[in-house]
């Protein structure tokens, strides 16, 4: 899973409450080569919740500025850094609120719940 | 001419137009008269044109046409009125009489009557069969005349028509298959692939044989051979129009983009249809695209290859399916065919982890209730799936879905409060009628205005 994707995800356990976002990350960041697409990154950054991304990057020890640079749309160095924010292949997402863990194995995130959680 | 999935002619036409942008290209299709076919002409074909052709996603086979002509004598003459109708009328009225009598007669007689009736019905059926057989028997003279016209059709085109088309075939063979000029034999081994649509005085294979024989007369150095032929000459007779051409592509183009290493499930979607859905979604940079029932990942993975400026999520409830998706993702990466990644999740399509209003586009192939699920289950599943989609899609967001459940969609899903049917398209998916819907989320304020 790309660490960027973490930004759109929330805990789905029934009754977890309003604090079901953002999830926390666990695991080792793996770099995967992919084409740098400036258009994509720029559009993505305009909708990303930066504090949540920053926290996720802290969780897996990736170095990002603690706040979104004001000139982020023209800051190529920063955009490339965002592009290089990589993947979690083994590890998990967990909810700070209800402590539910969603395991990531072989790059696949398991979001299936048990019956008592639905 | 190109063959395409019928119903998706305009998608293919648009893709061809886009692909040859800059060079002069003329694209035509007629969904009613020529379903599943797109005709196009490109001026100045070069080697580049062939690689553009090979890059098309919505096209199956490409043919270089020699020409199209209308024939006079290949269709059967209009059916003459026969006594058939009278006979059946008679039978019907006699049966009715019987029924009338039956009411009056007692039990024992009834059984006997029924037996007789049964016999009579059986006889009627047999008669019918015999009559049908008779109908298919064609006047041999008419048939001969029709086939003679087919044979002469070959030489109606002048030498330049043949040579031009043959030339295109040769340069494709050179450009794509890497066959050198010296290897091009003067005795080309050819086969004729004959297809007909409509009713004709002869069978497909008879037409093929006749054509092959007359082509051989025209080109004495060519040799006909059914198997392992070097080139295929396509003949398509639709009603009274005969289209002749060289088959340019060796295998289906849309399938050629699917790597041999790709791991497919039982309900794997035809790539041309996945392409059409993605194209209809009109994806723009930075969009978040989700397939909540992605199976082996055909749609989002094709999306991430072609429209790499979006963020893709593939998920399915089946562990087998998600493992296949991941394998496909990894092999695509190894073969360096992936330009943007696609994240893989195992989830329940009715309970996805997205935040409310966070997704721009949902694109998915819904269960039809044939190979997966059943019709009854669908009436419960569909509303729940669409409810979840409604939650995650942002205002103004869309859902592009492929389904066979059109009645269910009209009665339960599309409404003024939830999803608006922006556009839909009926397609013929291997004999099965399916439909692609482009639905837009009706947002709350719009709904108030409606009232």
């Amino acid at each position: 899973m790309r660490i960027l994707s973490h930004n759109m995800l929330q805990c789905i356990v029934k009754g977890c409450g309003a604090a079901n976002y953002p999830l926390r990350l666990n695991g080792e960041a793996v770099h995967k080569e992919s084409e740098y697409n400036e258009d994509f990154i720029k559009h993505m950054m305009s909708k990303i919740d930066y504090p949540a991304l920053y926290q996720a990057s802290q969780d897996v020890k990736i170095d990002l500025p603690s706040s979104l640079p004001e000139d982020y749309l023209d800051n190529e160095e920063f955009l490339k850094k965002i592009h290089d924010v990589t993947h979690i292949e083994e590890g998990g997402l967990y909810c700070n609120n209800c402590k539910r863990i969603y395991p990531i194995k072989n790059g696949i995130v398991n979001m299936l719940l048990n019956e008592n959680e639905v | 001419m190109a063959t395409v999935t019928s119903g998706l002619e305009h998608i293919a036409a648009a893709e061809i137009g886009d692909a040859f942008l800059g060079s002069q290209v003329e694209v035509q299709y007629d969904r009613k008269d020529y379903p599943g076919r797109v005709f196009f002409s490109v001026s100045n074909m070069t080697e580049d044109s062939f690689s553009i052709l090979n890059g098309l996603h919505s096209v199956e086979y490409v043919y270089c046409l020699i020409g199209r002509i209308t024939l006079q004598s290949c269709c059967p003459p209009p059916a003459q009125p026969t006594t058939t109708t009278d006979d059946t009328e008679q039978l019907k009225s006699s049966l009715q009489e019987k029924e009338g009598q039956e009411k009056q007669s007692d039990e024992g007689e009834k059984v006997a009557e029924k037996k007789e009736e049964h016999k009579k019905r059986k006889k009627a059926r047999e008669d019918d069969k015999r009559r049908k057989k008779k109908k298919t028997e064609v006047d041999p003279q008419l048939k001969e005349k029709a086939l003679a016209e087919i044979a002469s059709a070959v030489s109606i085109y002048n030498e330049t028509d043949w040579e031009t088309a043959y030339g295109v075939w040769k340069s494709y063979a050179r450009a794509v298959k890497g066959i050198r000029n010296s290897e091009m034999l003067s005795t080309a081994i050819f086969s004729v692939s004959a297809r007909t649509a409509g009713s004709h005085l002869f069978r497909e294979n008879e037409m093929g044989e006749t054509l092959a024989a007359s082509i051989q007369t025209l080109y004495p150095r060519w040799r006909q051979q059914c198997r392992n032929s070097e080139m295929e000459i396509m003949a398509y007779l639709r009603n009274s129009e005969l289209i002749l051409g060289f088959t340019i592509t060796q295998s289906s183009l849309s399938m050629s983009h699917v790597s041999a290493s790709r791991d497919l499930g039982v309900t794997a979607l035809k790539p041309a249809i996945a392409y059409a859905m993605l194209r209809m979604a009109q994806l723009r940079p930075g969009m978040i695209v989700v397939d909540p029932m992605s199976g082996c990942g055909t749609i989002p993975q094709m999306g991430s290859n072609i429209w790499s400026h979006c963020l893709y999520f593939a998920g399915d409830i089946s562990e087998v399916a998600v493992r296949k998706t991941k394998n496909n993702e990894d092999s695509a990466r190894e073969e360096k065919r992936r330009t943007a990644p696609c994240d893989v999740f195992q989830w329940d399509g009715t309970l996805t982890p997205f935040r409310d209003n966070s997704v721009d586009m949902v694109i998915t192939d819904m269960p039809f209730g044939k190979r997966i699920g059943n019709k009854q289950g669908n009436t419960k599943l569909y509303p729940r799936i669409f409810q979840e989609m409604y939650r995650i899609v942002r205002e103004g967001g869309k859902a592009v879905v492929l389904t066979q459940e059109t009645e269910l969609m009209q009665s339960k899903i599309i409404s003024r409060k939830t999803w608006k049917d922006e556009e839909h398209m009926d397609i013929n998916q291997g004999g099965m009628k399916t439909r692609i819907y482009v639905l837009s989320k009706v947002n709350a304020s719009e709904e108030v205005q409606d009232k």
Side-chain angles (χ1 to χ4, degrees):
Chain A
M1 186 197 82
R2 272 164 307 193
I3 294 166
L4 265 186
S5 305
H6 155 271
N7 221 268
M8 286 93 216
L9 307 177
Q10 63 180 22
C11 177
I12 51 174
V13 171
K14 197 185 175 189
C16 178
N20 60 359
Y21 170 88
L23 295 170
R24 303 292 300 268
L25 263 182
N26 220 335
E28 199 187 326
V30 193
H31 184 76
K32 282 190 177 181
E33 205 66 45
S34 67
E35 244 167 64
Y36 174 64
N37 187 330
E38 193 183 276
D39 214 14
F40 166 70
I41 292 286
K42 277 186 180 171
H43 278 91
M44 215 55 232
M45 281 321 287
S46 62
K47 58 171 85 170
I48 253 177
D49 174 9
Y50 194 77
L53 176 63
Y54 177 69
Q55 191 199 54
S57 70
Q58 292 286 300
D59 283 346
V60 291
K61 302 177 186 68
I62 293 173
D63 182 34
L64 281 187
S66 59
S67 62
L68 188 62
E70 261 176 42
D71 64 338
Y72 72 94
L73 284 181
D74 304 310
N75 189 336
E76 208 185 327
E77 192 195 348
F78 171 73
L79 292 176
K80 285 224 161 113
K81 220 172 207 174
I82 295 290
H83 168 77
D84 283 334
V85 165
T86 52
H87 297 243
I88 300 287
E89 290 286 290
E90 304 291 332
L93 290 158
Y94 68 95
C95 176
N96 232 1
N97 191 35
C98 70
K99 309 296 175 207
R100 172 67 153 94
I101 296 170
Y102 300 96
I104 304 175
K105 268 186 202 158
N106 182 28
I108 302 170
V109 191
N110 188 337
M111 281 281 174
L112 289 180
L113 297 179
N114 299 323
E115 258 170 53
N116 59 352
E117 295 168 315
V118 182
Chain B
M1 184 183 84
T3 47
V4 305
T5 306
S6 58
L8 299 179
E9 294 85 355
H10 65 298
I11 296 278
E15 192 193 11
I16 293 167
D18 286 356
F20 287 102
L21 205 71
S23 47
Q24 276 186 319
V25 58
E26 220 176 288
V27 195
Q28 280 180 340
Y29 61 93
D30 182 337
R31 206 177 282 176
K32 209 172 125 241
D33 280 346
Y34 281 96
R37 277 162 180 81
V38 173
F39 298 93
F40 62 102
S41 66
V42 182
S43 54
N44 302 325
M45 287 288 277
T46 60
E47 284 198 8
D48 284 347
S49 323
F50 293 124
S51 53
I52 294 174
L53 269 186
N54 279 344
L56 296 174
H57 289 88
S58 52
V59 163
E60 308 294 340
Y61 292 88
V62 178
Y63 307 90
C64 182
L65 297 194
I66 301 159
R68 302 163 70 161
I69 41 166
T70 309
L71 302 174
Q72 307 299 329
S73 57
C74 58
C75 294
Q80 270 136 30
T82 55
T83 52
T84 339
T85 45
D86 295 350
D87 284 357
T88 27
E89 289 283 296
Q90 230 173 3
L91 188 76
K92 260 187 202 162
S93 61
S94 81
L95 283 176
Q96 265 163 8
E97 254 169 53
K98 279 269 149 60
E99 271 165 36
Q101 286 167 4
E102 228 169 75
K103 274 173 196 160
Q104 291 155 8
S105 61
D106 62 44
E107 289 288 305
E109 267 176 22
K110 238 185 202 172
V111 177
E113 292 268 2
K114 272 205 174 150
K115 262 187 190 162
E116 204 177 306
E117 195 185 304
H118 184 73
K119 261 187 203 162
K120 222 170 186 174
R121 285 221 169 117
K122 202 172 164 189
K123 193 172 170 272
R125 266 204 302 273
E126 273 167 10
D127 276 357
D128 225 30
K129 260 189 204 162
R130 223 171 291 144
R131 238 178 264 128
K132 264 186 196 157
K133 234 185 196 169
K134 226 179 190 174
K135 254 190 190 167
T136 51
E137 267 172 36
V138 206
D139 184 344
Q141 270 184 333
L142 281 178
K143 181 172 161 182
E144 211 168 287
K145 199 179 152 207
L147 283 172
E149 200 189 358
I150 290 279
S152 67
V154 168
S155 46
I156 284 181
Y157 305 110
N158 57 40
E159 213 174 310
T160 25
D161 292 332
W162 276 92
E163 285 302 323
T164 315
Y166 182 47
V168 172
W169 180 84
K170 275 198 288 195
S171 30
Y172 183 85
R174 262 200 303 275
V176 177
K177 286 180 274 177
I179 299 174
R180 275 184 303 249
N181 261 344
S182 57
E183 289 171 47
M184 289 268 188
L185 297 171
S186 51
T187 49
I189 298 170
F190 76 98
S191 66
V192 174
S193 140
R195 289 277 168 277
T196 59
S199 90
H200 300 107
L201 291 163
F202 41 78
R203 287 192 216 99
E204 260 174 14
N205 61 339
E206 289 170 329
M207 177 172 102
E209 282 161 19
T210 310
L211 281 170
S214 66
I215 290 168
Q216 200 136 35
T217 328
L218 194 67
Y219 284 90
R221 280 186 309 185
W222 289 4
R223 197 153 53 82
Q224 190 215 350
Q225 192 174 307
C226 292
R227 279 186 198 168
N228 303 325
S229 63
E230 289 170 345
M231 69 181 173
E232 186 185 85
I233 292 167
M234 177 272 311
Y236 181 58
L237 180 66
R238 187 169 178 89
N239 301 325
S240 60
E241 192 181 31
L242 177 69
I243 299 179
L244 275 181
F246 287 87
T247 309
I248 296 288
T249 49
Q250 291 268 299
S251 56
S252 163
L253 284 183
S254 75
M255 288 304 285
S256 69
H257 303 291
V258 179
S259 159
S261 59
R262 209 179 153 83
D263 203 349
L264 301 172
V266 281
T267 58
L269 187 61
K270 222 168 139 184
I273 298 177
Y275 175 83
M277 294 174 76
L278 285 157
R279 196 175 168 111
M280 285 168 84
Q282 298 177 315
L283 299 169
R284 287 191 302 279
M287 275 191 166
I288 295 168
V289 183
V290 175
D291 185 346
M293 291 161 290
S294 61
C296 55
T298 310
I299 298 173
Q301 287 175 345
M302 179 186 269
S304 64
N305 268 342
I306 308 175
W307 291 273
S308 58
H309 50 49
C310 296
L311 192 67
Y312 294 89
F313 293 87
D316 204 284
I317 198 163
S318 146
E319 196 184 334
V320 180
V322 292
R323 224 183 286 142
K324 282 182 176 172
T325 312
K326 190 67 172 73
N327 288 344
N328 293 332
E329 188 69 22
D330 291 344
S331 58
R333 181 177 296 283
E334 272 163 32
E335 292 162 30
K336 297 215 186 314
R337 284 184 298 108
R338 178 68 82 246
T339 44
C342 161
D343 284 335
V344 187
F345 287 74
Q346 187 179 4
W347 63 36
D348 176 348
T350 64
L351 198 64
T352 58
F354 296 97
R355 304 178 65 195
D356 297 0
N357 309 309
S358 65
V359 171
D360 298 288
M361 186 72 62
V362 171
I363 309 180
T364 197
D365 173 13
M366 299 287 292
F368 294 169
K370 292 235 150 127
R371 280 174 292 190
I372 284 186
N374 55 59
K375 297 274 164 197
Q376 212 178 1
N378 278 353
T379 59
K380 283 184 183 157
L381 178 72
Y382 273 48
R384 289 175 59 213
I385 294 273
F386 278 94
Q387 199 184 350
E388 175 70 356
M389 289 183 193
Y390 191 83
R391 181 185 72 78
I392 65 176
V393 169
R394 67 168 166 85
E395 284 198 1
K398 284 181 187 166
V400 180
V401 299
L402 174 73
T403 179
Q404 207 191 10
E405 299 274 21
T406 47
E407 273 171 40
L408 184 61
M409 290 295 293
Q410 302 295 351
S411 67
K412 288 246 172 108
I413 307 301
I414 296 160
S415 79
R416 280 168 53 189
K417 286 180 185 169
T418 52
W419 294 101
K420 185 181 164 207
D421 181 359
E422 291 281 346
E423 183 188 359
H424 64 248
M425 196 190 301
D426 289 317
I427 56 179
N428 184 339
Q429 203 176 338
M432 194 162 49
K433 284 215 168 72
T434 58
R435 185 177 274 186
I436 300 175
Y437 282 98
V438 178
L439 305 171
S440 63
K441 178 174 175 173
V442 179
N443 56 43
S445 55
E446 243 175 63
E447 193 221 323
V448 173
Q449 274 174 10
D450 255 20
K451 281 175 184 170

